[in-house]
Amino acid sequence: MMFSERLQAAINDQINAEFYSAYLYLAMSAYLEDRDLPGMAHWMRMQYEEEIFHALKFFDFMIDRGARVILKAIDAPPTEFGTVEDVFAEVLAHEQKVTALIHNLYKMAVEEGDYPTQSLLQWFIDEQVEEEKNANDVLARVRMVKDYPPGLLMIDEALAQRPAPTPPAQEAAA
Ligand code: FEO
């Protein structure tokens, strides 16, 4: 079926947005390492990997449909993120922005009558519910302890347990 140029361009932009998300979380990981919170830094690194997989999921979809992937420059992320609470508040705000991007893409796919893209985006719509929930859960815990070091260290130890995400190819085979 017809895969509109407009939708292809929008998905190429989304690939860039997913790579920017990856870069942002990797910058947060570096920041948290610098603050001696290796568990939180690990959580961010897993989040970075997950964003790479999101980008690749769109990438593979474009290839599968015979579309041309255009990779663009990735903006530099910030280097300073404030308190631990600020960091996780920024994760949540960022995921809310990404959710809006995904919803706009879905709206476009509906306008275009593009069912395969709608099907792909259903996965991302569900994923964004999970992404916002994960950010919210950590933020809520961080807000409970504020800057109280023993509390932060307990959260740090818990976040060190976050498992690696599943690559898209393995997900499809599972
Ligand atoms: Fe790719 Fe965190 O959404």
Side-chain angles (χ1 to χ4, degrees), residues 27-68:
M28 288 177 173
S29 183
Y31 182 76
L32 291 162
E33 289 283 5
D34 196 53
R35 298 213 31 194
D36 297 315
L37 292 162
M40 292 185 186
H42 167 83
W43 190 94
M44 286 298 175
R45 192 170 169 132
M46 296 302 101
Q47 189 65 28
Y48 151 82
E49 285 190 10
E50 195 162 308
E51 299 301 346
I52 296 288
F53 294 157
H54 289 171
L56 292 176
K57 208 173 169 81
F58 281 115
F59 182 101
D60 290 344
F61 177 78
M62 292 284 277
I63 303 296
D64 287 349
R65 293 192 67 194
R68 182 82 200 279

Side-chain angles (χ1 to χ4, degrees), residues 18 47 51 54 95 98 128 131:
E18 299 292 345
Q47 189 65 28
E51 299 301 346
H54 289 171
E95 287 303 329
V98 174
Q128 283 309 120
E131 290 279 79

Side-chain angles (χ1 to χ4, degrees), residues 51-154:
E51 299 301 346
I52 296 288
F53 294 157
H54 289 171
L56 292 176
K57 208 173 169 81
F58 281 115
F59 182 101
D60 290 344
F61 177 78
M62 292 284 277
I63 303 296
D64 287 349
R65 293 192 67 194
R68 182 82 200 279
V69 171
I70 307 290
L71 296 177
K72 296 170 191 174
I74 305 162
D75 288 341
T79 50
E80 298 300 325
F81 295 96
T83 65
V84 172
E85 182 178 338
D86 292 338
V87 175
F88 285 96
E90 189 164 343
V91 173
L92 179 60
H94 183 72
E95 287 303 329
Q96 287 167 339
K97 267 189 238 163
V98 174
T99 298
L101 292 176
I102 296 290
H103 289 181
N104 278 336
L105 271 179
Y106 189 82
K107 199 168 153 229
M108 197 184 290
V110 169
E111 283 164 12
E112 306 274 347
D114 189 318
Y115 300 117
T117 304
Q118 287 173 40
S119 176
L120 173 79
L121 290 170
Q122 286 288 350
W123 184 92
F124 278 98
I125 290 167
D126 294 344
E127 177 70 8
Q128 283 309 120
V129 172
E130 195 64 30
E131 290 279 79
E132 287 191 31
K133 179 199 183 301
N134 291 343
N136 236 325
D137 284 353
V138 181
L139 182 59
R141 274 189 275 168
V142 168
R143 281 192 171 141
M144 269 179 229
V145 305
K146 297 281 174 203
D147 285 330
Y148 181 60
L152 282 180
L153 289 176
M154 275 184 71

